[in-house]
C-alpha cells in the first residue's frame, strides 16, 4: 500500500464511486453524494484545508484507490496532539488495509511530526470502529451523550487516545 497526497483530478472518480456505498456513511456525518462535482469539491476541501494533512490510500499491486486518511495537528501546549479519521471503500473492509495505513500514518505522526498523542472518536454503537481502534492500541478515555444529527438521535460517543509510548509497544506486536 502507498499513501500519497490527495489529488482531486486523479482521485475524484474513485472517491465518488466509493462514496456511493450507503454503508460507508452509516456512522459519519457524510451522505451519499449527488454527483461527481460534490465529491470533487470535498476532495479539494480535504487537500486545501489549513492544518489538515490528507492522503489517498493506493493498492500497490493494482494501483486502485482504496480510501482516504486525514490527520490534523493541534498544539496543546506543551503537547502536540493529532486527531485522525479515514474512509476505506467497503470492498476493502476487514482485509488489513486500515491497519497497514495506520502503521504508516502513526509512525509519521509520532516519529516525524513528534506528536505525543493521537485522539479519535467513534459512536459507541459503531462496534467495528471501536474494536479496530482498541486493537491498534487506543484507550477509551470517556464517553459522552451527543446528538447524531443525521439520525436526529442522542447517542453515546466514545473518545479515544493513543499515546506514543503505547504505539511503540503495540506496533511491535502488530508487526509480528
Amino acid at each position: 500500500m502507498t499513501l500519497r497526497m490527495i489529488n482531486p483530478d486523479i482521485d475524484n472518480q474513485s472517491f465518488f464511486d466509493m462514496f456511493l456505498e450507503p454503508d460507508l456513511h452509516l456512522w459519519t456525518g457524510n451522505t451519499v453524494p449527488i454527483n461527481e462535482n460534490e465529491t470533487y469539491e470535498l476532495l479539494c476541501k480535504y487537500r486545501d484545508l489549513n492544518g489538515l494533512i490528507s492522503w489517498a490510500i493506493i493498492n500497490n499491486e493494482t494501483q486502485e484507490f482504496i480510501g482516504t486518511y486525514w490527520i490534523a495537528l493541534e498544539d496543546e501546549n506543551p503537547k502536540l496532539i493529532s486527531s485522525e479519521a479515514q474512509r476505506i471503500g467497503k470492498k476493502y473492509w476487514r482485509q488489513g488495509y486500515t491497519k497497514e495505513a495506520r502503521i504508516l500514518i502513526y509512525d509519521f505522526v509520532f516519529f516525524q511530526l513528534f506528536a505525543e498523542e493521537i485522539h479519535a472518536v467513534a459512536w459507541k454503537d459503531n462496534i467495528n470502529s471501536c474494536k479496530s481502534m482498541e486493537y491498534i492500541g487506543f484507550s477509551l478515555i470517556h464517553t459522552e451523550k451527543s446528538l447524531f444529527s443525521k439520525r436526529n438521535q442522542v447517542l453515546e460517543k466514545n473518545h479515544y487516545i493513543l499515546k506514543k509510548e503505547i504505539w511503540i509497544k503495540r506496533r511491535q506486536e502488530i508487526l509480528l
Side-chain angles (χ1 to χ4, degrees):
M1 176 182 52
T2 299
L3 297 175
R4 65 161 169 72
M5 299 311 283
I6 285 178
N7 182 333
D9 295 321
I10 295 171
D11 299 328
N12 190 51
Q13 182 64 53
S14 298
F15 188 70
F16 174 74
D17 293 343
M18 179 182 85
F19 258 48
L20 289 177
E21 173 54 57
D23 286 349
L24 190 67
H25 309 287
L26 291 176
W27 294 105
T28 71
N30 304 103
T31 57
V32 176
I34 296 169
N35 57 45
E36 290 179 43
N37 188 51
E38 187 177 324
T39 55
Y40 185 84
E41 290 175 8
L42 189 57
L43 284 173
C44 289
K45 178 181 172 185
Y46 294 152
R47 179 196 63 198
D48 299 338
L49 193 61
N50 191 28
L52 189 71
I53 302 173
S54 308
W55 291 276
I57 304 169
I58 307 298
N59 182 315
N60 285 341
E61 294 173 16
T62 65
Q63 295 305 301
E64 285 180 280
F65 176 95
I66 294 170
T68 55
Y69 216 106
W70 313 277
I71 62 166
L73 287 175
E74 298 173 36
D75 190 358
E76 293 187 16
N77 200 7
K79 292 191 270 188
L80 187 60
I81 295 171
S82 176
S83 55
E84 64 96 29
Q86 75 282 330
R87 300 288 182 272
I88 306 292
K90 186 176 180 178
K91 75 180 192 174
Y92 301 105
W93 291 358
R94 295 175 190 82
Q95 296 181 35
Y97 291 106
T98 302
K99 178 175 78 172
E100 192 175 340
R102 280 181 167 152
I103 291 168
L104 296 172
I105 301 284
Y106 296 173
D107 281 354
F108 176 74
V109 167
F110 288 128
F111 304 125
Q112 292 184 36
L113 298 178
F114 306 107
E116 295 180 44
E117 300 172 354
I118 299 174
H119 294 191
V121 297
W123 295 105
K124 185 177 181 178
D125 291 339
N126 185 355
I127 296 166
N128 288 330
S129 287
C130 294
K131 284 183 179 181
S132 177
M133 284 191 284
E134 291 165 7
Y135 168 80
I136 211 77
F138 279 91
S139 297
L140 178 64
I141 53 174
H142 74 278
T143 300
E144 68 178 342
K145 292 190 184 284
S146 185
L147 177 65
F148 188 12
S149 57
K150 186 192 291 187
R151 297 184 184 184
N152 198 28
Q153 288 181 295
V154 174
L155 300 175
E156 290 184 310
K157 186 186 285 186
N158 287 343
H159 292 258
Y160 291 94
I161 187 170
L162 177 62
K163 295 185 178 203
K164 183 177 183 177
E165 59 271 13
I166 300 300
W167 172 244
I168 291 169
K169 291 176 188 173
R170 188 68 189 124
R171 184 186 191 283
Q172 295 306 315
E173 295 170 14
I174 292 168
L175 292 174
L176 294 178

